[in-house]
């Protein structure tokens, strides 16, 4: 697929790109639909309930009708909202969520862009979403959404630092920011083992980046009702919802690639005739399940303990991890 | 860190635990025999003593009697009997004071309607509500 | 307490140093808000997320129970009390029956007294379970709510078998109780006690040890014993400050003096202490239940000798008992008729809520929810 990029522009390869992008979009939409379904099922099972079971066989069409309902709903807007920003915010939140998927190598062959700075691209683009969230919080002209927006800004910016710092260890080990090379470098051992400290920091910070339990303060239902999207309804709300779950898709892919060996088979099972994408999906689903599991268990962080936890807790650990990694690598290279 | 790991362990175990969901509208929900549902009223037993209307805390029972058609017999028989289920709180006091068990509770509890007018139940309706009648009163 | 919102004035400050202007704003929490546990409204003045001042606005669920009672005879008032503290209707039933019985000097048969204690303690457990679930929901954990409701459902089912209703029991009558325990009911309660004893361990595993949860509650909503007494707090709110005061122990009513149980207290006076006390109270209630079920008389009357028309003698009386939320009291002024001349309920939720503005000062919005939840109010009782 990547060799399409090397070819000169022609009608054929441009249309191929468009087709591939649409296919990815559909895959993502399918994932989001069923991620929501499985989230509700898994949490339901953990809470002694059966989860959705009314629409379609086993409730499989539940999310489909939910989304249809959202799309058919009247598009409401508060009277004193900032019209332009109110409309812009969901787009701003959603567009980067989809754009980050371009660099993800889902298997050896399925990748859209093989950037040399894949990790950086992901981090840079994903931080645009926080702008969408703040914009939504401000433009809705609602105090709850304003507080939600502010919390979200503080949280996402703070947790981005340990997130990036925890990845640095992996980058040091690989010597590259290219996601494909990072996966290839894990042939012998997955990064999760030598980088266990970085992995833990990454998982926690990712949770905060995704605004998911226990870091769901920006939309804390019991405090801020719904936080930054309290005034949104219909398809604009659907965009926020979609952004949230697409980010989960993105973050799941990133964790798989950075720490869990991407499409590589685990435990030396390379001889099995299983395509890499299957391994990728399995690892990815493991992460997604972990998300749901956490959500079914954890209470929410307190707003005033959130930032100290990032700056005084996670960041030092991430820095120590970098230091240890650097020392070990220097030692191995004989430079120390 | 052990604390929250314990919690995670507990929720994980529940994945396969027995679910407690009732499939209520599909599977009827059985109520125990003493359940206080919509009243059943038997006009033939009523002696028009008016006790139920007097004890009702929300005054949702209205009744009128008429002289017994058989001139030989004394007393009255019931003419109209209405319970307004908009305000009835199913407190069981009417059935408790009734000396002849003319008004008794049933296990039926589905009262939802599209119009509140339909919640005004008259003698015939209450007479026909004769399924799942409570035994102990 | 004045309900005038003009009382709150908003400041805007200009800081020379940073060149930033900050402004306080009013945030209206409720009456429709997921964490006000009903129709409770709280107007808070916030600076950023810090609460400067708060004004509780109550009365959205006011039905005038006390005034209505003046037009009803004593038996008719009992179903109304079900609707005050709808999470523990049995204690409300008891307090009015107890008041009238005290006035008239009615003797209650032993079996009825035991049944009353059993249902009251079960109701206390049910009420604390609801509190536990909803409090964790406020804190942001979803699952405990459903686990708590599964077990509460068992209690409600047992009540349903006993008196035919799941929430508004109308079970007690002046002089006794309406229904005797159906065959096999006592055994079912025994089984439930065993089941819940096991489940409590799981509750602790799920929540109590969680570091996020502990850090979140420790040290917030703190007050000392003197403040608690000054604000006329009762129940767990009072006991969390170290005052050992439980009417079941200190002014025993019914047959409570026959049972052995502890009154758990803590000295911290914060939300975590209140959480731990309520959990400990569930265990103590289970202890009482076990003993009550063990000593339950084989047979006997369930109604004492009561005149056909209940007419307490002229005079007044005030009784108080320990409800799950604190001291619930009932004052009756009778002029010798079958209806009270004046009836007044001391509702613990209402009294406990008074301290809220004091506790909220200087806290942030996440703590607001945690503190309000730890008071454990039932709006039906606050507004009566």
């Amino acid at each position: 697929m990547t060799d399409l990029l090397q070819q000169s522009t022609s009608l054929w390869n441009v249309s191929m790109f468009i087709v591939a992008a649409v296919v990815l979009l559909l895959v993502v939409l399918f994932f989001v639909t069923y991620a929501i379904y499985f989230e509700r099922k898994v949490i339901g099972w953990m809470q002694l309930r059966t989860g959705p079971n009314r629409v379609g066989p086993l409730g499989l069409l539940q999310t489909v009708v939910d989304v249809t309902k959202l799309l058919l709903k009247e598009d409401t807007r508060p009277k004193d909202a900032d019209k332009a920003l109110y409309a812009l915010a969901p787009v701003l939140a959603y567009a980067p969520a989809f754009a980050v998927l371009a660099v993800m190598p889902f298997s050896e062959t399925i990748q859209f862009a093989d950037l040399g700075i894949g990790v950086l691209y992901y981090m840079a683009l994903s931080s645009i979403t926080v702008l969408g969230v703040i914009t939504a919080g401000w433009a809705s002209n609602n105090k709850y959404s304003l507080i939600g927006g502010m919390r979200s800004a503080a949280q996402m910016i703070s947790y981005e630092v340990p997130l990036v710092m925890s990845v640095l260890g992996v980058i040091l080990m690989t010597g590259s920011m290219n996601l494909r090379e990072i996966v290839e470098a894990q042939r012998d051992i997955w990064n999760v083992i030598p980088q266990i400290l970085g992995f833990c920091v990454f998982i926690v910070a990712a949770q905060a980046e995704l605004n998911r339990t226990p870091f769901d303060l920006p939309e804390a239902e019991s405090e801020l009702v719904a936080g930054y999207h309290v005034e949104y309804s219909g398809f604009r709300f659907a965009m926020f919802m979609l952004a949230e779950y697409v980010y989960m898709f993105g973050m799941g892919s990133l964790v798989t690639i950075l720490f869990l060996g991407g499409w590589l088979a685990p435990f030396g099972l390379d001889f099995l005739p299983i395509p890499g994408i299957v391994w990728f999906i399995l690892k990815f689903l493991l992460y997604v399940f972990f998300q749901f599991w956490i959500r079914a268990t954890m209470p929410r962080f307190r707003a005033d303990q959130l930032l100290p936890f990032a700056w005084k807790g996670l960041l030092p650990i991430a820095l120590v991890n970098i230091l240890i990694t650097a020392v070990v690598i220097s030692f191995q290279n004989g430079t120390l | 860190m052990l604390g929250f790991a314990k919690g995670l362990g507990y929720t994980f175990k529940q994945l396969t635990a027995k679910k407690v969901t009732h499939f209520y509208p599909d599977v009827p929900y059985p109520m125990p025999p003493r359940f206080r549902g919509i009243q059943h009223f038997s006009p033939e037993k009523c002696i028009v003593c008016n006790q139920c209307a007097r004890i009702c805390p929300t005054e949702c029972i209205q009744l009128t009697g008429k002289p017994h058609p058989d001139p030989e017999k004394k007393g009255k028989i019931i003419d109209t009997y209405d319970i307004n289920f908009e305000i009835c709180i199913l407190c069981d006091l009417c059935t408790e004071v009734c000396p002849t068990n003319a008004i008794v509770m049933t296990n039926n509890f589905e009262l939802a309607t599209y119009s509140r007018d339909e919640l005004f139940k008259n003698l015939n309706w209450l007479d026909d509500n004769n399924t799942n009648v409570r035994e102990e009163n | 307490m004045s309900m005038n919102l003009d009382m709150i004035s908003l400041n805007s400050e200009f800081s020379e140093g940073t060149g930033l202007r900050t402004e306080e704003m009013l945030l209206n929490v409720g009456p429709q808000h997921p964490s006000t546990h009903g129709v409770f409204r709280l107007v808070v003045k916030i600076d950023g997320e810090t609460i400067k001042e708060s004004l509780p606005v109550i009365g959205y669920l006011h039905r005038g129970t006390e005034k209505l009672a003046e037009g009803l005879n004593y038996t008719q008032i009992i179903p109304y009390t079900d609707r005050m503290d709808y999470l523990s209707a049995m204690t409300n039933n008891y307090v009015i029956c107890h008041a009238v019985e005290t006035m008239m000097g009615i003797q209650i048969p032993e079996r009825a007294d035991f049944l009353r204690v059993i249902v009251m303690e079960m109701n206390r457990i049910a009420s604390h379970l609801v509190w536990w679930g909803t409090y964790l929901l406020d804190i942001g954990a979803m699952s405990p709510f459903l686990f708590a409701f599964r077990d509460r459902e068992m209690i409600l089912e047992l009540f349903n078998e006993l008196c035919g209703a799941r929430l508004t029991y109308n079970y007690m009558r002046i002089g006794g109780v309406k229904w005797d325990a159906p065959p096999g009911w006592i055994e079912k309660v025994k089984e439930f006690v065993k089941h819940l004893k096991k489940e409590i361990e799981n509750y602790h595993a799920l929540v109590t040890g969680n570091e996020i949860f502990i850090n979140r509650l420790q040290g917030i909503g703190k007050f000392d014993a003197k403040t608690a007494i000054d604000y006329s707090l009762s129940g767990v709110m009072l006991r969390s400050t170290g005052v050992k005061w439980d009417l079941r122990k200190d002014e025993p009513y019914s047959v409570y003096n026959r049972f052995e149980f502890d009154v758990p207290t803590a000295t911290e006076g914060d939300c975590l202490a209140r959480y731990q006390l309520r959990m400990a109270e569930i265990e103590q209630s289970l202890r009482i239940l076990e003993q009550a079920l063990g000593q339950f008389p084989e047979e006997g009357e369930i109604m004492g000798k009561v005149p056909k028309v209940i007419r307490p003698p002229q005079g007044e009386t005030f009784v108080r008992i320990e409800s799950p939320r604190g001291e619930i009291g009932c004052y009756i002024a009778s002029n010798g008729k079958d209806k009270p001349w004046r009836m007044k309920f001391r509702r613990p939720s209402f009294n406990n809520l008074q301290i809220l503005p004091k506790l909220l000062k200087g806290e942030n919005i996440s703590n607001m929810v945690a503190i309000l939840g730890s008071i454990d109010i039932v709006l039906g009782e606050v507004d009566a």
Side-chain angles (χ1 to χ4, degrees), chain C residues 190-218:
Chain C
K190 278 181 185 160
E191 249 163 63
F192 168 77
V193 171
K194 262 188 227 145
H195 164 82
L196 194 65
K197 271 195 160 168
K198 261 196 314 219
E199 283 302 320
I200 291 280
E201 296 304 311
N202 290 333
Y203 291 176
H204 285 305
L206 178 61
V207 175
T208 313
N210 192 309
E211 287 79 7
I212 298 175
F213 174 77
I214 294 173
N215 285 331
R216 182 150 183 191
L217 295 188
Q218 212 155 33

Side-chain angles (χ1 to χ4, degrees), chain B residues 5 8 11 17 22 28 39 49 59 61-62 71 82 92 95 103 112 121 123 134-135 137:
Chain B
L8 283 174
T11 40
H22 292 290
Q39 290 92 335
C49 65
E59 293 171 13
I61 302 177
Q62 278 157 11
D82 305 295
D92 210 8
T95 63
I103 184 156
K121 306 293 191 196
L123 189 145
R134 194 166 76 176
E135 317 247 308
N137 276 295

Side-chain angles (χ1 to χ4, degrees), chain C residues 166-183:
Chain C
R166 293 163 48 85
L167 208 60
T168 48
Y169 312 112
N170 190 19
Y171 176 58
M172 296 181 198
R173 294 287 185 276
I174 289 146
V177 293
K178 157 101 179 165
W179 298 99
D180 199 352

